[in-house]
Amino acid sequence: MADKANIPASAPETENVSKNFIEREIDKDLAEGVYDHVHTRFPPEPNGYLHIGHAKSIILNSGLAKEYNGEFNLRFDDTNPVKERTEFVKSIIADVEWLGADFRGEVLFASNYFDEMYEKAVFLIRKGKAYVSDLTADEIKATRGDFVTPGTPDPSRDRSVEENLRLFEDMKNGKYADGEKVLRAKIDMASGNINMRDPVIYRIARLTHHNTGDKWCIYPMYDFAHPIEDAVEGITHSICTLEFEDHRPLYDWVVRECEYAYPPRQIEFAKMYLTNVVTGKRYIKKLVEDGVVDGWDDPRLVTIAALRRRGYTPESIRKFVELAGISKADSSCELDMLEFCIRDDLKLKKPRMLAVLNPVKLIIDNYPEGQSEELDMPNNLEVPEMGSRKVTFGRELWIEQDDFMENPPKKYFRLFPGNEVRLMGAYFVKCTGVDKDAEGNITAIHGEYDPEQKAGQETRKVKGTIHWVNAADCFEATVRLYENLVDEDKGKLSADGTLNLNPNSLTVLGNCKLEPALKDAKAFDSFQFVRNGFFNVDCKDSEEGAPVFNRIVGLKSSFKLNK
């Protein structure tokens, strides 16, 4: 695959556009003729769901390929069958497609190259660059030395080529138990880079692989397989995160000693960290197993699947990655910045609908009993071209409980006895009294409306405006409100390494009153609920005619964009 026809690379049209350090390195490689095209990849291991940090790598790698008129591969690094599952493969494909990364519809697997990897291991043995070791994993670790002490040579390091070939074939044929023997690269036990001290490149593992089944009982190690995958596919620029920087000399050694004609160039960038969120697969797996969340796509998580389910858009995540930037220095981003991006993306795209989440009844005593009327309600005041819709108005309405106070503080401009407010898009109404039950709880609010003060025909002013839905034709729905899964005051981890979970991370409201136009909303449809935030229809728990709504984000933001 590496020996391909030249693919012309095109530089960005505007030369004065500021470029990140990776783009500058690619420009240099193209100008010097190191490569005549750009070919990138995203190589996840299918051992869990992708999270927001992976989105940065997907968007960066696919974006570079698009920018330079090159190619982009989605390739699974599935060399460790212990934790890999088809479920994770499917979820990752869905995530990459949803983010808009164009991998030409072809999904690649490292396991498709297992035959070639085995042949390259044999090739290294024949060159005297690899040998079979009898040491256990603990013994190998103990003899590797440290940053000031060189490693101790393996007693099997000087085995003959013939013996190593025979032993390695016996490993492949299942003659040894798991862990009984390994294949090590023969490099330098005194190297200052511990990764170069005769690393293990093959181990025995009798496990069924999701892609190759039971064909193999030996599997290549990641550090051996990964550079071969890149070389086989003709990757020009292997863009990865900083933790692989110390592994780069080993990757280069593998490609060089295996004599690939078109070696890829590795360039490292800093990961993207979000403060006080859970991204570690080990933690998420435990949260799922303990039933704290309802799956890897629980909307309180920041896996890509969870963000999609909650109602985030690809555009908002791309904007977030853009704002976070590409650098060589580790840094953290606040969750507020991600929330700013989705809020900014939705505010001019989505209709503003009427939904009362904590309802209390408002009875307009002087409105004709049994009568109703249709009112025009703009879909989005900031976007007139979105038009308007009809909503019905009647004698009995639902309003938010916190839009009424019997004994309000100063500067409270909503409804209280004797005060008048505007019903959004409708009339002025003055509170005249309340009904209470035997325990003193308010069961209904009474008021009188002014038929002369209708929306668009007002001749005087009031300070407060509240929203409402008509009790006669609204429908009842479940709405879920989310806070951070982690207790932000305590920090993510406690002293014993367990997560500090926020007990209020999920609030389920089962008695919400919504305008009837929302009843037919489908999975992933999103709206602004007036004064309550942005919401979308949950893709797992909704049924036809009975949508469940997740709050994507509230309306207020503490994040300020520096322009």
Side-chain angles (χ1 to χ4, degrees):
M1 295 176 67
D3 190 8
K4 58 179 72 179
N6 290 350
I7 301 174
S10 59
E13 294 181 6
T14 307
E15 291 300 327
N16 62 355
V17 171
S18 177
K19 295 187 176 185
N20 61 52
F21 75 95
I22 297 175
E23 291 170 315
R24 293 194 294 271
E25 290 298 315
I26 291 175
D27 285 346
K28 183 172 179 287
D29 287 342
L30 294 172
E32 294 177 355
V34 178
Y35 303 104
D36 57 12
H37 65 285
V38 173
H39 196 160
T40 62
R41 82 289 179 270
F42 175 63
E45 183 182 358
N47 62 354
Y49 281 52
L50 303 181
H51 58 67
I52 185 67
H54 295 109
K56 179 178 181 179
S57 183
I58 296 167
I59 291 168
L60 172 60
N61 278 283
S62 64
L64 288 169
K66 184 176 182 180
E67 177 183 352
Y68 290 95
N69 192 29
E71 293 182 83
F72 169 72
N73 289 1
L74 170 59
R75 178 229 303 144
F76 288 94
D77 262 321
D78 56 342
T79 59
N80 181 12
V82 175
K83 299 178 181 179
E84 297 166 355
R85 300 209 303 264
T86 301
E87 172 196 352
F88 299 140
V89 171
K90 291 180 178 178
S91 74
I92 291 170
I93 293 172
D95 291 343
V96 175
E97 289 178 333
W98 180 71
L99 284 172
D102 182 10
F103 53 90
R104 315 247 192 260
E106 182 183 8
V107 178
L108 304 172
F109 293 89
S111 53
N112 291 341
Y113 315 138
F114 278 173
D115 287 307
E116 177 157 353
M117 292 173 191
Y118 178 80
E119 291 169 4
K120 289 300 182 182
V122 171
F123 182 70
L124 292 179
I125 293 173
R126 293 188 186 281
K127 288 180 68 173
K129 297 292 184 176
Y131 61 94
V132 173
S133 170
D134 303 328
L135 298 182
T136 65
D138 289 340
E139 289 170 336
I140 290 174
K141 183 178 180 180
T143 58
R144 290 184 78 187
D146 54 33
F147 291 108
V148 295
T149 307
T152 303
D154 191 307
S156 305
R157 200 170 195 265
D158 294 323
R159 270 180 168 148
S160 68
V161 168
E162 291 73 23
E163 186 178 7
N164 282 317
L165 288 172
R166 177 179 60 77
L167 291 171
F168 188 50
E169 185 174 7
D170 288 345
M171 287 171 59
K172 183 192 73 165
N173 292 334
K175 291 189 177 181
Y176 303 109
D178 290 8
E180 188 175 347
K181 295 187 186 299
V182 295
L183 184 69
R184 298 180 71 175
K186 191 174 185 179
I187 307 178
D188 181 3
M189 290 301 293
S191 173
N193 185 333
I194 294 178
N195 294 300
M196 301 295 282
R197 295 182 185 177
D198 289 12
V200 174
I201 59 176
Y202 259 93
R203 82 286 198 193
I204 303 168
R206 286 174 172 76
L207 295 167
T208 300
H209 191 279
H210 76 96
N211 191 32
T212 60
D214 295 320
K215 177 180 178 181
W216 297 91
C217 66
I218 58 170
Y219 290 96
M221 301 298 289
Y222 177 87
D223 281 353
F224 177 67
H226 185 76
I228 291 177
E229 297 156 29
D230 281 348
V232 168
E233 293 176 8
I235 301 302
T236 59
H237 295 85
S238 175
I239 313 298
C240 61
T241 46
L242 283 174
E243 72 263 33
F244 295 103
E245 186 171 25
D246 289 342
H247 296 250
R248 191 199 319 152
L250 175 54
Y251 298 160
D252 291 344
W253 182 91
V254 170
V255 173
R256 182 174 63 253
E257 294 298 336
C258 288
E259 300 182 12
Y260 282 102
Y262 300 96
R265 180 188 176 189
Q266 180 169 302
I267 303 175
E268 303 88 10
F269 67 96
K271 278 185 174 181
M272 180 168 64
Y273 293 97
L274 266 182
T275 56
N276 283 335
V277 298
V278 182
T279 55
K281 292 174 182 176
R282 175 169 59 91
Y283 291 115
I284 297 176
K285 184 173 183 288
K286 181 167 175 54
L287 290 172
V288 173
E289 291 174 347
D290 291 350
V292 176
V293 297
D294 70 3
W296 289 78
D297 62 350
D298 186 291
R300 290 168 289 178
L301 298 172
V302 290
T303 60
I304 297 175
L307 292 169
R308 181 167 67 249
R309 179 182 173 191
R310 183 157 172 176
Y312 277 76
T313 62
E315 294 82 2
S316 67
I317 294 176
R318 287 178 176 275
K319 179 68 174 178
F320 176 64
V321 169
E322 177 187 336
L323 291 176
I326 307 298
S327 71
K328 288 283 282 188
D330 284 332
S331 61
S332 296
C333 297
E334 297 292 332
L335 188 61
D336 285 348
M337 188 166 85
L338 179 60
E339 292 179 342
F340 164 83
C341 292
I342 183 60
R343 192 181 290 111
D344 190 61
D345 184 54
L346 295 179
K347 66 182 181 180
L348 300 181
K349 293 180 179 179
K350 300 302 176 180
R352 299 175 182 181
M353 311 296 285
L354 298 175
V356 175
L357 306 189
N358 293 289
V360 62
K361 185 161 284 188
L362 170 64
I363 302 171
I364 305 175
D365 293 313
N366 66 332
Y367 193 88
E369 201 162 351
Q371 183 175 314
S372 66
E373 60 184 294
E374 284 191 336
L375 303 175
D376 272 323
M377 192 72 69
N379 288 323
N380 190 323
L381 283 171
E382 295 183 63
V383 190
E385 54 269 30
M386 289 182 68
S388 63
R389 66 191 185 283
K390 298 290 186 182
V391 297
T392 61
F393 182 87
R395 187 171 186 268
E396 295 190 2
L397 309 174
W398 294 104
I399 65 171
E400 296 283 358
Q401 290 182 22
D402 61 6
D403 280 340
F404 173 82
M405 292 187 74
E406 197 169 14
N407 299 294
K410 289 183 178 180
K411 296 186 178 181
Y412 181 86
F413 299 122
R414 284 169 276 176
L415 205 57
F416 56 88
N419 191 47
E420 188 176 44
V421 299
R422 177 188 294 106
L423 295 175
M424 183 178 292
Y427 298 95
F428 288 5
V429 65
K430 179 185 288 187
C431 177
T432 58
V434 297
D435 293 335
K436 296 183 179 181
D437 61 19
E439 286 76 38
N441 300 309
I442 294 173
T443 57
I445 302 164
H446 287 268
E448 293 183 352
Y449 87 117
D450 184 344
E452 301 301 319
Q453 302 300 315
K454 188 175 183 180
Q457 303 169 14
E458 300 166 359
T459 59
R460 54 190 176 86
K461 295 181 179 180
V462 290
K463 289 186 176 180
T465 300
I466 65 174
H467 67 284
W468 52 275
V469 294
N470 186 8
D473 63 1
C474 69
F475 75 102
E476 198 168 280
T478 297
V479 173
R480 297 190 287 222
L481 307 180
Y482 300 103
E483 295 180 10
N484 198 338
L485 186 61
V486 170
D487 188 325
E488 297 186 44
D489 293 331
K490 295 181 179 179
K492 184 162 70 173
L493 296 177
S494 61
D496 62 1
T498 58
L499 290 168
N500 287 320
L501 296 176
N502 174 10
N504 302 312
S505 64
L506 171 62
T507 301
V508 180
L509 304 175
N511 188 36
C512 304
K513 312 296 184 181
L514 280 59
E515 67 168 281
L518 290 165
K519 190 170 186 178
D520 295 326
K522 307 300 182 186
F524 299 110
D525 287 348
S526 55
F527 310 89
Q528 182 184 143
F529 287 0
V530 171
R531 298 173 59 223
N532 279 312
F534 291 95
F535 293 76
N536 94 312
V537 179
D538 188 79
C539 62
K540 286 177 72 172
D541 299 327
S542 298
E543 297 178 1
E544 187 172 354
V548 174
F549 290 89
N550 301 324
R551 182 157 68 182
I552 308 167
V553 68
L555 295 178
K556 294 182 179 180
S557 174
S558 60
F559 176 79
K560 301 297 182 184
L561 178 61
N562 296 320
K563 295 185 178 180

